[in-house]
Amino acid sequence: MNTRTSLPRLGAMTALALVALTGCTAPTAATPAGTPAGEVLRIDDAWVKSADEGMSAAFGMLVNAGEDDVTVTSVSSAASPMIELHETVENDAGEMIMREIAGGFVVPAGGSLALEPGGNHIMMMDLAEPLRAGDEVSFTVTLSDDSTFDFTAPVKDYSGANENYDGADDHEGMDH
């Protein structure tokens, strides 16, 4: 066997094999520039607190599979004519209160943002009808690039997280 011709030939064949293999690899989580945010954002483990009337809230884990931060600017649902994005903050008295978050929810690139009782959440006011455990609620999420995504969440009984609210007089009976 002539090693002078075999080694270069082997090297060339190895390089060609590597090029062929890299062309066959699975796609990565990377998204091309200009991809609508609604195509890279999802919500996992979504659920809504049951309520007879007044107010409720939606929770879950917002997950951003994209390479850029995504900002949720609004949420809509037939279940509630007035929906706000709420955060938990400490007031001047040191109490944790809920209030509408300025600028919306920012979900970091390649990361997630928890929506949970006692934390960030989607606040549903003036419920259109009672939300009973076992029901499902559909939502449309609007993002800062004006793209959207839809999700449906089951309604569950939950008795915790009866927080205080900034401007509580404006939101009588606000517990979720």
Side-chain angles (χ1 to χ4, degrees):
M1 176 159 133
N2 184 341
T3 55
R4 280 184 198 208
T5 56
S6 295
L7 286 178
R9 191 173 290 156
L10 180 62
M13 288 176 24
T14 302
L16 284 173
L18 288 173
V19 168
L21 284 175
T22 55
C24 296
T25 59
T28 64
T31 53
T35 299
E39 292 183 20
V40 298
L41 192 69
R42 69 177 192 272
I43 188 165
D44 293 344
D45 304 319
W47 64 281
V48 175
K49 181 184 175 188
S50 64
D52 289 331
E53 61 182 2
M55 306 172 85
S56 184
F59 310 101
M61 181 67 68
L62 289 169
V63 179
N64 179 356
E67 294 182 345
D68 297 310
D69 292 353
V70 171
T71 302
V72 175
T73 58
S74 67
V75 178
S76 62
S77 173
S80 173
M82 183 176 175
I83 296 180
E84 294 179 352
L85 307 176
H86 278 199
E87 65 181 338
T88 304
V89 294
E90 188 173 333
N91 67 10
D92 293 338
E95 300 169 319
M96 297 307 288
I97 59 168
M98 298 291 168
R99 69 175 184 198
E100 188 171 11
I101 187 169
F105 296 138
V106 177
V107 186
S112 60
L113 176 73
L115 302 179
E116 57 194 1
N120 294 327
H121 58 279
I122 299 168
M123 190 72 214
M124 305 167 65
M125 295 168 267
D126 300 324
L127 294 175
E129 59 186 39
L131 298 176
R132 306 267 189 242
D135 290 348
E136 290 192 337
V137 178
S138 295
F139 296 89
T140 298
V141 177
T142 301
L143 308 166
S144 58
D145 67 353
D146 292 326
S147 66
T148 62
F149 82 91
D150 298 324
F151 74 94
T152 300
V155 177
K156 298 181 179 183
D157 286 330
Y158 182 76
S159 61
N162 295 319
E163 295 88 3
N164 296 318
Y165 291 85
D166 187 26
D169 294 338
D170 298 334
H171 305 296
E172 289 183 32
M174 266 182 115
D175 63 312
H176 64 276

